Amino acid sequence: MSAPQPAVTLTALSGVPAIQPGDDIAALLGDALDATGLEPRDGDVLVVTHKIISKAENRYRDLAQVTPSPQARRLAAATGKNAALVEIILSESREVVRSRRELIISEHLSGMVMANAGVDQSNVPGGGERVLLLPENADASSAALRAALAQRYGVDMGVVVSDSVGRAWRNGVVGLALGAAGIPALQDLRGRRDREGRELKVTQVGFADEIASAAELLMGEADEGRPAVLVRGLQWRDPPVTAAALIRERYQDLFR
Amino acid sequence: MSAPQPAVTLTALSGVPAIQPGDDIAALLGDALDATGLEPRDGDVLVVTHKIISKAENRYRDLAQVTPSPQARRLAAATGKNAALVEIILSESREVVRSRRELIISEHLSGMVMANAGVDQSNVPGGGERVLLLPENADASSAALRAALAQRYGVDMGVVVSDSVGRAWRNGVVGLALGAAGIPALQDLRGRRDREGRELKVTQVGFADEIASAAELLMGEADEGRPAVLVRGLQWRDPPVTAAALIRERYQDLFR
């Protein structure tokens, strides 16, 4: 019990109201943070679900106002999905990677491979007629939020914008980072050595993805309504890199 | 500041000695746990890197004692890897999924798709001549560790055996669960509703994978030597399921 144990604490912010287009996310998250009694410190990382960013950025689309292209109609027929929804998915995608009944996996405009290009029908007020797109640029949204928090608190916090995403060979979604600011989203261990002095074979760690997964443990998928989690106690040595670094370059992709 | 905020705490156990074949992992982890001053409680989850399980189970293989098959020699030539190492990787695999220079992705005997069938050359005493395989049955190892901890402390703890694994479309490894006991490794949210009362589209969460990723934030890949992390404050409603449930069935796999 001599030296303190390395520890990380995750605290959910539960007082965040339902977000409306145009809302000042940084102000609302700051108020929720203050209500927890936690005083932000250098090195804290605030994880925010992309949904509230998308809502503040008014990334809603109304299915009734979409005219499906012939391509969208064909894919809708093949997958059993709504043709207007498929049109929106295609407009958010660079290409369709796989599709089958009830499933479209595509490369989102950001380069991320995921189901439905991240277009979301859950937790969207108005039910089935409106859907919610991913933030236009989640790294930029992260940087803006980080700057606003730095101004409010005078501390150097990191920000991660998260989503729940499926995997190629595993059941269940896990938290991943769509955006990041102020942290090395991808950590590079090249040149470091293990306990035996051997150079490490594993050279890169998806740091921001692991942070997002940790935060998702508290956020919940259903009706919990905890859109933000403060992570305290993380340590890193690398300089900040955005979440774009987590996306594997197309030419290195063996699986499409 | 009325009700306490939902919070999760991760504490690294730093006093775990270097593990030898035949060691009583549960006793050594229990001693390290006691040294932290944390008293285990019902609902705590202990995350343990697979490496110390493999070492205790003497899952070492000596490259010098392996005679590579013709198939292993061909794959070694194509990938530039050591032929004896490739022989061991093949003996741990059901099939090779992809290979290229310096890279073999295969389906491990457990069904998990990963690089090198999880065969590990880092942190192995003796350097390049010996390698370390995954635990023979990580779910069984998890259950045994859980039972021993329950006997020692009289509490109902969960256990996750973790590894750092790469992904199809993302750079960097993240923590995943090779084994789990006492927790719903895969959580099923079917039938639950979001805040708007709509049934959730996302139906399953890789709970044990998210726990493993959270713990990896403290374990580190390099010389930190923190092979176990206690996770406190998690909540779940589903009955326990092993980590085998996280592996997507072959017939549902769109990516090989």
Side-chain angles (χ1 to χ4, degrees):
Chain A
M1 297 213 30
S2 45
Q5 301 294 317
V8 167
T9 310
L10 307 150
T11 308
L13 312 192
S14 47
V16 183
I19 301 297
Q20 307 298 329
D23 275 353
D24 182 344
I25 284 280
L28 295 171
L29 289 171
D31 293 346
L33 207 45
D34 292 344
T36 64
L38 288 166
E39 283 184 30
R41 296 182 198 158
D42 288 345
D44 284 352
V45 177
L46 186 65
V47 185
V48 181
T49 173
H50 78 283
K51 284 186 191 177
I52 66 170
I53 306 283
S54 291
K55 287 176 181 178
E57 293 178 358
N58 198 16
R59 299 279 290 160
Y60 290 108
R61 291 295 178 272
D62 189 339
L63 294 185
Q65 296 188 357
V66 170
T67 307
S69 65
Q71 188 197 358
R73 289 188 187 281
R74 280 194 299 273
L75 188 54
T79 57
K81 286 177 173 284
N82 176 296
L85 175 62
V86 172
E87 176 63 37
I88 293 171
I89 291 169
L90 291 178
S91 72
E92 284 287 293
S93 301
R94 287 182 185 161
E95 70 164 348
V96 174
V97 176
R98 293 284 190 284
S99 67
R100 64 170 191 191
R101 200 83 199 146
E102 293 300 326
L103 181 68
I104 297 173
I105 296 174
S106 75
E107 180 183 331
H108 179 258
L109 297 173
S110 65
M112 200 161 159
V113 176
M114 63 199 307
N116 303 322
V119 176
D120 194 2
Q121 289 184 277
S122 66
N123 279 313
V124 175
E129 293 108 46
R130 282 212 295 177
V131 297
L132 191 61
L133 311 186
L134 296 186
E136 186 146 15
N137 180 337
D139 277 327
S141 304
S142 303
L145 177 53
R146 176 168 183 258
L149 293 168
Q151 183 148 33
R152 175 167 178 152
Y153 294 109
V155 299
D156 187 9
M157 295 172 68
V159 168
V160 171
V161 171
S162 70
D163 193 6
S164 297
V165 181
R167 290 87 53 86
W169 306 295
R170 312 270 292 166
N171 294 317
V173 296
V174 295
L176 294 184
L178 302 185
I183 60 164
L186 184 69
Q187 291 213 73
D188 199 328
L189 305 180
R190 268 170 289 205
R192 294 199 200 150
R193 291 173 184 280
D194 68 15
R195 296 176 91 176
E196 304 289 327
R198 289 170 55 89
E199 200 158 320
L200 290 176
K201 291 271 173 185
V202 168
T203 54
Q204 296 185 309
V205 176
F207 189 57
D209 284 337
E210 292 188 329
I211 294 170
S213 279
E216 291 274 340
L217 290 167
L218 275 170
M219 286 179 175
E221 291 294 322
D223 54 4
E224 288 87 348
R226 293 179 199 145
V229 170
L230 188 78
V231 186
R232 173 162 291 173
L234 293 171
Q235 296 186 343
W236 61 84
R237 288 182 276 189
D238 293 346
V241 204
T242 65
L246 289 162
I247 296 171
R248 179 156 291 157
E249 298 270 2
R250 177 73 198 259
Y251 76 93
Q252 291 189 309
D253 182 346
L254 301 176
F255 297 101
R256 70 171 97 174
Chain B
M1 296 209 34
S2 45
Q5 301 294 318
V8 166
T9 310
L10 307 150
T11 309
L13 312 191
S14 48
V16 183
I19 302 297
Q20 308 298 329
D23 275 352
D24 182 344
I25 284 280
L28 295 171
L29 289 171
D31 293 346
L33 208 44
D34 293 345
T36 63
L38 287 167
E39 285 184 28
R41 297 182 197 159
D42 289 345
D44 283 353
V45 176
L46 186 66
V47 185
V48 182
T49 173
H50 78 283
K51 285 186 191 176
I52 67 170
I53 306 283
S54 291
K55 287 176 181 178
E57 293 178 356
N58 198 17
R59 299 278 290 160
Y60 291 108
R61 293 295 178 271
D62 189 339
L63 293 185
Q65 295 188 359
V66 171
T67 308
S69 65
Q71 188 197 357
R73 287 186 189 284
R74 278 194 301 273
L75 189 53
T79 58
K81 285 177 173 285
N82 176 296
L85 174 62
V86 172
E87 177 63 36
I88 293 171
I89 292 169
L90 290 178
S91 71
E92 284 287 295
S93 301
R94 287 181 185 161
E95 70 164 348
V96 175
V97 176
R98 292 284 190 284
S99 67
R100 64 171 189 190
R101 200 85 200 148
E102 294 298 327
L103 181 67
I104 297 173
I105 296 173
S106 75
E107 181 183 330
H108 179 257
L109 297 172
S110 65
M112 200 159 157
V113 176
M114 61 199 309
N116 305 323
V119 176
D120 193 1
Q121 288 184 276
S122 67
N123 279 312
V124 175
E129 293 108 47
R130 283 210 297 177
V131 297
L132 191 60
L133 311 185
L134 297 186
E136 186 146 17
N137 180 337
D139 276 327
S141 305
S142 303
L145 177 54
R146 177 168 183 256
L149 292 169
Q151 183 147 35
R152 176 167 178 152
Y153 294 109
V155 298
D156 187 9
M157 295 171 70
V159 169
V160 171
V161 171
S162 70
D163 193 5
S164 297
V165 181
R167 291 88 52 87
W169 305 295
R170 309 273 290 168
N171 293 318
V173 297
V174 295
L176 294 184
L178 301 184
I183 60 163
L186 184 69
Q187 291 213 73
D188 200 328
L189 304 180
R190 267 171 289 208
R192 293 197 203 153
R193 289 171 188 280
D194 68 16
R195 296 176 93 179
E196 303 290 326
R198 289 170 56 90
E199 201 157 319
L200 290 176
K201 291 271 172 181
V202 168
T203 54
Q204 296 184 309
V205 176
F207 189 57
D209 285 337
E210 291 188 330
I211 294 170
S213 279
E216 292 274 341
L217 290 168
L218 275 169
M219 287 179 174
E221 292 293 322
D223 53 5
E224 288 86 348
R226 295 177 199 146
V229 170
L230 188 77
V231 186
R232 173 162 292 172
L234 292 171
Q235 295 187 342
W236 62 84
R237 289 183 275 190
D238 293 346
V241 203
T242 65
L246 289 162
I247 296 171
R248 179 157 290 156
E249 298 271 3
R250 177 73 198 258
Y251 76 93
Q252 291 188 308
D253 183 346
L254 300 175
F255 297 100
R256 69 170 99 176

